Amino acid sequence: MSRERKILELKEKIDKAQRGGGDIAIDKQHSRGKFTARERIDLLLDKKSFEEIDMFRLHECSDFDMQKKKILGDGMVTGYGTIHGRLVFVYAFDFTVFGGSLSKTVADKVVKVLEKAAKVGAPVIGINDSGGARIQEGVDSLAGYTEIFLRNVLYSGVVPQISAVVGPCAGGAVYSPALTDFVFMVRKTAYMFLTGPKIVRTVTHEDVTADQLGGADIHATKSGIAHFTYDDEKSLFEGIRKLFNYIPQNNMEEAPIIPNQDPPDRIDEDLNYLVPDNPNKPYDMKEILERILDNGEFFEVQSLFAPNIIIGFGRLNGRSVGIVANQPKYLAGVLDSNSSNKAARFVRFCDAFNIPIITFEDVPGFMPGTVQEYNGIIKHGAKMLYAYAEATVPKITVITRKGYGGAFCVMNSKQLRGDYSYAWPSSEIAVMGPQGASEIIFSKEIKAAENPKEKLREKIEEYRDKFANPYVAAAKGYVDEVIEPKITRYKLIKALEMLANKRDENPPKKHGNIPL
Ligand code: HXC
């Protein structure tokens, strides 16, 4: 064969591989409002940055006449490219080839990029749109999945791992996205569940659609498995690109510093008036965050799940920070099982990837009652405590109002190695709220009073005057500074600068035993 012919042959092969399952399958994919694997990669990565690996890999199955059905690449597109000029690895299931099902070859390709990413210290993004295990391959496919799960676990906390779920993701296949740091889902076409609607009907007699069982909205609001949800794939890939502004390449690096025009010493007078005088009146913590962060930009994570706590990323003087904040607007910002889990996992992500954590605190305590206790709030709250305690990144707290009881201890208190704690003059830091405390410690006095209701009111006021302020804690060094709210941005930036070279360690161990 001549050189020219050989080059032509290569070009033909590349062209064939790029057409995946063929034009009919591609049209079917488009007709459902879905992109192909390569189109998705183009949306995700910087223009023309994608370099494909293993384009010509073929499956090795010969059962069910599969030797006659070989497609270049075998339904998996893998490679590397850049996002905002920074290296990332990517793997994308191609639904046009055997429904994006996972063969041993597909798994080998995924494992190859996961290992490369870990070796060179770059994030990995998996794009999931798959019918699950390649049925013709049987146990080889199961082994393939497990090889992927193992790498997801081994590289957890080494390089950021992100999952886009843009089609079916069912059965054991869900565990790979679940093991990654952030799950992005698109509405209508994506779903994740362990067992599909048919089996659910047989076993539990529940009648549900795929969307009701595991659609994006369900996982965003009820299970908390989806961190981000979008109406269409384009916005989803833009969302992933946005996340990359805030995270580092690996656990040995820091997130990029992106300078901006927002003055570090910007004062916001309105902050002095945002917390209502009435301690039982709600307000929107997000407004406070937006007034403090650079350019008012807050990139919220899991916004629809457990909204009584807010988590997400922002910048302060260009530096990326992770935010954990009670939200008085929902359930008075109380801590319950879901909000504790949500915050704990986020704190661990930030700690694993060297992102300082800023905690905004207005917490009346943990949610009482049988629902929460039976649900194991003790162990879920303990997870949050554990996550804060073991975190060695810079940890700063701003107490805007309530800091009561165990919840005060858990929310990055100084005794959990919180580095710096600011309190606003509206803070109330005490073992419990004035009403509960007065009912207990003055119970005899109240009972004996001529007018018990009046007595209780009096005692509540007495307790409030004595303890519902920041100065008792400040006098004991449990908060470092009481500040005017309007200078919080400046104060946080100063503290972050002071903590920039912080070094802290945990005792040597194989790993701890977080109360799961
Ligand atoms: C092989 C598969 C496949 C699979 C789909 N295809 N799933 N081939 N293995 N798992 C093929 C179809 O035969 C079809 O091929 C093409 O992909 C497109 O599939 P359609 O059914 O036409 O598409 P659609 O109507 O969109 O339905 C999508 C689907 C459905 C809902 C995903 O295909 C489906 O239910 N597939 C089976 C899902 C499943 O049970 N998977 C195994 C789960 S067990 P042709 O040639 O006709 O175009 C599992 C265990 C994992 O995953 C454990 C990990 C630890």
Side-chain angles (χ1 to χ4, degrees):
M1 199 190 284
S2 70
R3 257 174 298 174
E4 288 76 13
R5 181 76 207 118
K6 283 181 182 168
I7 297 221
L8 196 66
E9 182 189 42
L10 170 65
K11 284 184 174 164
E12 281 168 4
K13 270 183 182 290
I14 292 173
D15 182 56
K16 207 168 173 193
Q18 286 180 336
R19 278 186 286 116
D23 295 340
I24 295 171
I26 292 174
D27 287 346
K28 196 172 166 193
Q29 181 83 342
H30 286 159
S31 70
R32 293 172 165 173
K34 290 163 74 177
F35 287 108
T36 65
R38 283 190 176 77
E39 287 165 346
R40 286 166 173 157
I41 290 172
D42 283 348
L43 287 170
L44 173 68
L45 300 183
D46 296 340
K47 292 284 158 270
K48 298 205 165 112
S49 71
F50 182 55
E51 299 291 334
E52 189 166 342
I53 308 174
D54 278 343
M55 185 188 262
F56 299 149
R57 283 289 298 260
L58 297 169
H59 72 69
E60 288 163 14
C61 174
S62 50
D63 290 318
F64 304 102
D65 269 350
M66 283 294 276
Q67 73 281 2
K68 295 181 191 155
K69 302 177 201 161
K70 296 206 178 199
I71 294 178
L72 294 171
D74 201 31
M76 168 54 63
V77 184
T78 57
Y80 63 94
T82 57
I83 290 183
H84 311 314
R86 293 156 67 210
L87 177 68
V88 297
F89 285 79
V90 61
Y91 59 92
F93 287 85
D94 182 353
F95 195 86
T96 68
V97 180
F98 303 116
S101 56
L102 187 127
S103 64
K104 184 69 175 64
T105 297
V106 166
D108 285 351
K109 289 178 69 169
V110 175
V111 165
K112 194 190 262 188
V113 287
L114 285 169
E115 288 186 341
K116 276 272 185 308
K119 200 168 269 180
V120 304
V124 197
I125 303 129
I127 303 176
N128 297 269
D129 181 7
S130 163
R134 174 93 44 97
I135 294 166
Q136 297 87 335
E137 292 209 12
V139 288
D140 274 347
S141 171
L142 298 185
Y145 268 119
T146 318
E147 297 278 2
I148 296 172
F149 302 157
L150 175 71
R151 269 69 181 187
N152 289 141
V153 173
L154 293 180
Y155 308 143
S156 173
V158 178
V159 290
Q161 298 181 54
I162 316 291
S163 297
V165 181
V166 284
C169 183
V174 296
Y175 284 118
S176 179
L179 288 165
T180 61
D181 297 301
F182 295 106
V183 176
F184 288 68
M185 282 186 86
V186 70
R187 292 197 179 83
K188 294 206 175 90
T189 42
Y191 51 84
M192 290 175 79
F193 40 66
L194 275 172
T195 40
K198 274 190 198 147
I199 296 177
V200 168
R201 204 167 300 133
T202 313
V203 178
T204 70
H205 308 296
E206 284 172 290
D207 210 0
V208 282
T209 64
D211 202 44
Q212 287 165 334
L213 190 60
D217 288 326
I218 293 301
H219 286 310
T221 56
K222 290 193 189 296
S223 72
I225 285 161
H227 297 85
F228 302 93
T229 44
Y230 298 88
D231 286 334
D232 59 80
E233 291 192 26
K234 268 191 187 155
S235 326
L236 180 146
F237 291 111
E238 272 165 26
I240 297 180
R241 289 179 62 85
K242 206 165 170 194
L243 172 68
F244 272 82
N245 287 324
Y246 297 101
I247 61 176
Q249 291 292 92
N250 56 59
N251 61 340
M252 308 295 279
E253 291 185 21
E254 307 225 333
I257 293 179
I258 303 181
N260 58 68
Q261 300 303 312
D262 200 351
D265 56 357
R266 175 171 55 77
I267 281 173
D268 188 330
E269 293 285 347
D270 291 347
L271 277 176
N272 278 9
Y273 305 97
L274 277 181
V275 176
D277 279 336
N278 177 352
N280 298 323
K281 219 172 151 193
Y283 60 94
D284 188 0
M285 184 67 94
K286 262 187 232 169
E287 189 178 345
I288 290 177
L289 302 178
E290 284 163 5
R291 283 173 178 277
I292 290 171
L293 295 169
D294 288 359
N295 299 326
E297 284 168 7
F298 177 54
F299 186 60
E300 191 172 0
V301 179
Q302 282 183 300
S303 64
L304 304 171
F305 181 71
N308 39 325
I309 207 155
I310 304 167
I311 57 171
F313 298 100
R315 314 196 90 79
L316 279 169
N317 203 20
R319 204 185 292 266
S320 176
V321 289
I323 304 284
V324 178
N326 306 114
Q327 172 57 292
K329 228 173 97 172
Y330 291 97
L331 301 173
V334 75
L335 288 178
D336 55 9
S337 299
N338 284 346
S339 59
S340 303
N341 275 325
K342 174 177 164 180
R345 188 156 161 79
F346 184 70
V347 166
R348 296 192 104 209
F349 175 84
C350 292
D351 187 48
F353 291 107
N354 312 316
I355 300 170
I357 301 161
I358 303 191
T359 303
F360 286 82
E361 178 170 343
D362 183 351
V363 63
F366 280 98
M367 183 79 153
T370 51
V371 172
Q372 290 297 320
E373 294 289 357
Y374 295 177
N375 193 244
I377 190 168
I378 295 173
K379 73 175 173 225
H380 299 305
K383 270 181 225 171
M384 194 169 162
L385 193 162
Y386 194 110
Y388 268 120
E390 72 174 348
T392 55
V393 287
K395 299 185 289 189
I396 305 172
T397 309
V398 178
I399 304 164
T400 59
R401 191 166 63 180
K402 293 171 193 162
Y404 279 121
F408 171 74
C409 307
V410 165
M411 294 283 302
N412 195 36
S413 59
K414 298 280 295 178
Q415 291 68 32
L416 290 183
R417 296 192 288 179
D419 293 295
Y420 213 91
S421 176
Y422 296 105
W424 287 4
S426 45
S427 301
E428 306 169 12
I429 305 163
V431 69
M432 64 198 295
Q435 168 133 10
S438 306
E439 280 170 357
I440 295 171
I441 57 177
F442 304 120
S443 73
K444 285 198 187 103
E445 235 178 291
I446 292 166
K447 256 190 222 150
E450 235 172 72
N451 183 344
K453 264 195 185 154
E454 187 49 44
K455 193 75 189 165
L456 175 63
R457 244 193 311 272
E458 197 182 292
K459 288 294 175 192
I460 288 174
E461 268 329 295
E462 192 182 317
Y463 185 92
R464 194 186 299 287
D465 285 348
K466 196 161 166 50
F467 293 118
N469 62 59
Y471 301 108
V472 181
K476 294 172 188 286
Y478 299 148
V479 299
D480 296 292
E481 266 187 79
V482 183
I483 58 168
E484 262 195 82
K486 67 180 186 184
I487 55 166
T488 305
R489 170 179 166 78
Y490 171 74
K491 286 286 185 180
L492 286 174
I493 289 171
K494 292 300 282 182
L496 279 173
E497 281 168 6
M498 179 269 284
L499 292 164
N501 294 322
K502 176 188 171 185
R503 293 284 173 268
D504 205 348
E505 281 179 3
N506 294 327
K509 56 180 131 177
K510 189 170 174 192
H511 57 70
N513 191 9
I514 190 165
L516 296 172

